Amino acid sequence: MTADIAITTADGVGTAVLDRPKALNALTLPMIRELAPALDVWAADPQVRAVIVKGAGDRAFCAGGDVRAIWEAGRNGRDASADHPTRAFFREEYRLNRQIHRFPKPYVALLDGITMGGGVGLSVHGSHRIVTEKTMFAMPETAIGLFPDVGATWFLTRCPDRVGTWLALTGARLKGADVLVADPAAHFVPSERLPELEAAIRSGQPVDDAVAAMRADPGPGTLGPHRDTIRRCFAHGTVEEILDALARDGGEFARETRDGLMHRSPTSLRVVLEQMKRGQGLSIEDALVLEYRLVQGCMDGHDFFEGIRAVLVDKDHAPKWQPSRLEDVGPDIVERHFRTPPEGDLDFA
Ligand code: QUE
């Protein structure tokens, strides 16, 4: 048992509390190594009816993977070992994402705060995603020279109206009601009613009934007026065409979206658009195999290490991407990311 995740079983419910509140509950390898076997136990235990996963503190569900630790372990180069943190972390995280996706019982994730990257991977694959007015949902990886992983290939390619491609490229943050645009099957429950929801589940009420009793109208959200711009602009097949379409749109939303894209890693933008194309229709397993190839490609490159430096270490938010210009990211660079890594593909043995 590590201090960073609290795992308990009581009243027929398995509960995991991500407990690193000062780090916004960002997911570490030891936490993954606690949660994965717990899910196996809960799946097999006939006494356990449901699983609840939530974050400690009042700010975050989970802000992502512990990418700072990966940065530390990989920034001065890495050996070929399969156990190197840049391989073990992502391999075990992606296996956990698949385990949640295939989990045979109700898996209730309470997204009552910041939910980014790795936190999305701990929630979107579960059967019940509970969104509140405090939910802030994003896949922000193009800001750190990465790409949306944790099974986002599966999730984002199923969002309506190019919303997934927009989220993936821009890292846009969705709040409250707008999260339901990306994930229409999630449920909105006011934050103050979550204790009641949990109590109902623990009392033996079926999860679907408990959620139905607590659900509320999330209100209109803010995305509605921009759905058409997103659908039109993000349907294009190249990053340049998307940027041009946003420039032609003329509205403030399109201008801000385009400005944001200009600050993202040019390599990430090209890789992610290709990921959204190749990812369509993949099973969760094939999506995660693809993502493992991509993440190892990123670990062999420059922008991830520079992105973490700029966003999480020095916090100057001024990454010097290499290549720095989109036109210098040729097809060879993109293609390199889609190759099977030397240690072999991810498997689910
Ligand atoms: C993009 C990201 C991440 C990010 C910021 C980005 C990410 C991530 C974190 C994060 C936040 C707080 C922590 C921490 C990590 O921030 O993936 O350890 O305490 O995990 O712009 O992809």
Side-chain angles (χ1 to χ4, degrees), residues 20 22-24 26 63-68 116-117 140-141 143-144 311-312:
R20 295 179 72 217
K22 285 181 195 144
L24 302 176
D66 187 11
V67 279
R68 196 186 161 122
M116 303 196 303
E141 289 88 352
I144 55 166
V311 171
L312 292 181

Side-chain angles (χ1 to χ4, degrees), residues 67-321:
V67 279
R68 196 186 161 122
I70 305 298
W71 178 85
E72 199 63 68
R75 68 197 178 107
N76 294 318
R78 54 191 184 139
D79 60 35
S81 146
D83 297 327
H84 192 275
T86 57
R87 299 188 183 88
F89 178 84
F90 294 109
R91 186 171 61 234
E92 296 185 39
E93 183 184 33
Y94 296 177
R95 283 179 179 158
L96 174 61
N97 300 138
R98 183 242 191 184
Q99 199 182 350
I100 296 167
H101 195 104
R102 301 282 180 206
F103 194 68
K105 298 176 183 179
Y107 176 108
V108 185
L110 307 180
L111 309 188
D112 193 27
I114 297 164
T115 304
M116 303 196 303
V120 171
L122 295 181
S123 54
V124 288
H125 300 296
S127 61
H128 294 75
R129 288 86 62 197
I130 310 301
V131 171
T132 77
E133 74 281 1
K134 287 166 59 187
T135 304
M136 196 285 281
F137 180 102
M139 292 302 291
E141 289 88 352
T142 58
I144 55 166
L146 221 53
F147 63 96
D149 62 344
V150 300
T153 304
W154 181 90
F155 169 69
L156 294 172
T157 54
R158 283 164 177 79
C159 295
D161 294 343
R162 310 285 170 179
V163 162
T165 303
W166 167 67
L167 287 174
L169 289 171
T170 63
R173 298 168 171 214
L174 300 180
K175 288 190 70 180
D178 288 332
V179 181
L180 301 182
V181 173
D183 185 359
H187 308 276
F188 185 89
V189 174
S191 182
E192 63 175 18
R193 297 204 73 185
L194 293 182
E196 251 178 292
L197 174 65
E198 278 197 58
I201 293 169
R202 291 183 204 287
S203 78
Q205 194 173 16
V207 171
D208 280 331
D209 297 354
V211 170
M214 309 294 165
R215 296 183 62 135
D217 181 347
T222 64
L223 207 51
H226 310 306
R227 293 284 295 273
D228 193 55
T229 296
I230 293 170
R231 180 170 48 236
R232 273 186 298 102
C233 297
F234 287 86
H236 291 286
T238 67
V239 177
E240 287 85 344
E241 287 172 300
I242 291 171
L243 293 170
D244 286 347
L246 288 167
R248 282 195 310 272
D249 177 89
E252 187 181 328
F253 173 82
R255 188 177 49 74
E256 287 174 0
T257 300
R258 191 176 186 284
D259 288 349
L261 287 171
M262 300 304 282
H263 289 96
R264 303 300 181 225
S265 155
T267 301
S268 289
L269 293 180
R270 283 227 200 285
V271 167
V272 168
L273 192 58
E274 187 65 22
Q275 173 197 6
M276 293 296 109
K277 291 183 198 169
R278 296 196 197 189
Q280 294 197 28
L282 297 186
S283 66
I284 187 63
E285 287 80 9
D286 288 344
L288 291 166
V289 167
L290 176 76
E291 290 172 6
Y292 186 78
R293 292 179 184 181
L294 294 181
V295 86
Q296 294 310 316
C298 292
M299 293 302 119
D300 287 332
H302 167 273
D303 281 2
F304 167 72
F305 297 98
E306 172 61 7
I308 296 299
R309 183 206 63 73
V311 171
L312 292 181
V313 180
D314 297 338
K315 300 188 166 87
D316 56 32
H317 294 275
K320 294 183 175 62
W321 306 124

